[in-house]
Amino acid sequence: MSKPLRAGLVGLGSMGRHHARVLAGLEGVDLVGVVDPMGDKFGAAQGAPILNTVEELIALGVDYTVVACPTHLHEEVGLALAEAGVCALIEKPVADTVEGARRLVEAFESRGLVAGVGHIERCNPALRSLRARLESGELGDVYQVVTRRQGPFPHRIADVGVVKDLATHDIDLTGWVTGRQYVSIAAHTVSKSGRQHEDMVSAVGRLDDGTMVNHLVNWLSPLKERFTSVTGERGCFIADTLTADLTFHSNAAVTTEWEALQAFRGVSEGDMIRYAIPKREPLLVEHELFRDAVLGKAADICTLRQGMRTVEVAAAVLQSATDNRSVSLQPEDLAAHGS
């Protein structure tokens, strides 16, 4: 058998502690070091040595590293790893600026290194099932994607607002489940919590095939909600990613005898199906996919270039809210870059 991959971790915050747990038990991987200048306050490092710098981690001879430090440090840490020839799984968003994301893409792509972004919703069982059903044509033409992601303010987030933190989940999953790209976005934001950054956003967009998109994201609601609906020719899929449930509401074929309405091609309520789907932990699935990618196997990871696109759309959301206008986005040929 081949030797286990040597993995490192940067950051033992809320998300980093989960990464440490999964890495410690991941088949074919050894967690050999964790970087956090604050130390291991919660005993989450699973016995791995605690280091102060990324350079110390690189010196241990790691094959890949998970970057789970604050967003504004992603670029600095990622560039150091790329320079050392180390593959990286970087938590979302990949960087706090479009320019930073581009520099990371160039650094890893130019060296032929495997790198990905931790857009974990791609590994949610409900959304994976939804994507497969859309790809097989079960819904027919897609008309609209609607997401709602709301809940109380997370005090651990201090360096970005709700657009770059939470809304990037919805931006990425929308493009991923539909296989399309954003071409325009219009948004409004508010800041009610007294912080520097926005804590609520409402956005309307359009994808390159004409699909309508609506996003409502906030840190101001006592109700925690993770809702995605996709409406199309044959009905509507609804995914609840908190419970990993997927339901389908079908259009019913009901003939109307009312002559005045016969010219209107509407729909009526049909059957509802709640699918029974395997529910594996999304973070474990994400790590398995990235491990396989590092090993050279085919794996559906979120590439850095795809992560950069999400940052570009998030930047357009903020620009739209600032300028009070719709912002156009130029579609990128992601396929040409192996995405």
Side-chain angles (χ1 to χ4, degrees), residues 1 34 43 53 99 113 131 188 208 218 233 259 333 337:
M1 294 182 63
V34 177
T53 68
E99 295 75 19
L113 295 169
R131 184 188 190 221
H188 294 285
D208 56 10
N218 75 65
E233 183 180 6
E259 184 177 350
D333 184 8
H337 298 278

Side-chain angles (χ1 to χ4, degrees), residues 139-221:
L139 192 61
D141 290 340
V142 174
Y143 301 153
Q144 183 184 46
V145 179
V146 175
T147 71
R148 296 195 302 270
R149 186 174 299 267
Q150 52 187 344
F153 171 68
H155 293 283
R156 62 185 177 84
I157 302 296
D159 56 342
V160 294
V162 76
V163 170
K164 291 183 179 179
D165 183 68
L166 277 193
T168 50
H169 279 301
D170 294 311
I171 293 167
D172 179 74
L173 76 83
T174 296
W176 181 71
V177 298
T178 61
R180 315 305 306 191
Q181 293 190 63
Y182 289 77
V183 293
S184 69
I185 198 81
H188 294 285
T189 61
V190 297
S191 181
K192 297 293 185 180
S193 59
R195 297 171 65 251
Q196 173 187 356
H197 304 288
E198 78 289 341
D199 42 37
M200 175 179 281
V201 61
S202 178
V204 178
R206 184 167 58 89
L207 305 182
D208 56 10
D209 64 345
T211 297
M212 293 176 57
V213 175
N214 299 79
H215 299 309
L216 175 62
V217 190
N218 75 65
W219 279 328
L220 298 175
S221 171

Side-chain angles (χ1 to χ4, degrees), residues 67-132:
V67 179
C69 52
T71 304
H72 70 278
L73 297 175
H74 286 185
E75 181 185 355
E76 176 186 341
V77 173
L79 292 178
L81 293 170
E83 179 68 26
V86 177
C87 299
L89 174 61
I90 303 174
E91 259 302 337
K92 66 86 204 160
V94 62
D96 59 348
T97 66
V98 173
E99 295 75 19
R102 287 174 181 160
R103 286 188 286 268
L104 284 169
V105 169
E106 170 62 23
F108 283 93
E109 285 188 351
S110 65
R111 293 170 172 86
L113 295 169
V114 176
V117 186
H119 279 292
I120 196 169
E121 291 287 46
R122 293 189 179 206
C123 299
N124 188 285
L127 293 179
R128 292 181 73 82
S129 179
L130 170 58
R131 184 188 190 221

Side-chain angles (χ1 to χ4, degrees), residues 252-268:
V254 179
T255 303
T256 177
E257 297 180 3
W258 188 359
E259 184 177 350
L261 292 182
Q262 286 179 350
F264 175 70
R265 233 180 81 195
V267 298
S268 57

Side-chain angles (χ1 to χ4, degrees), residues 290-307:
F290 192 75
R291 172 203 61 195
D292 291 349
V294 173
L295 290 171
K297 301 178 183 179
D300 183 21
I301 66 171
C302 177
T303 66
L304 287 195
R305 190 167 288 274
Q306 291 170 335

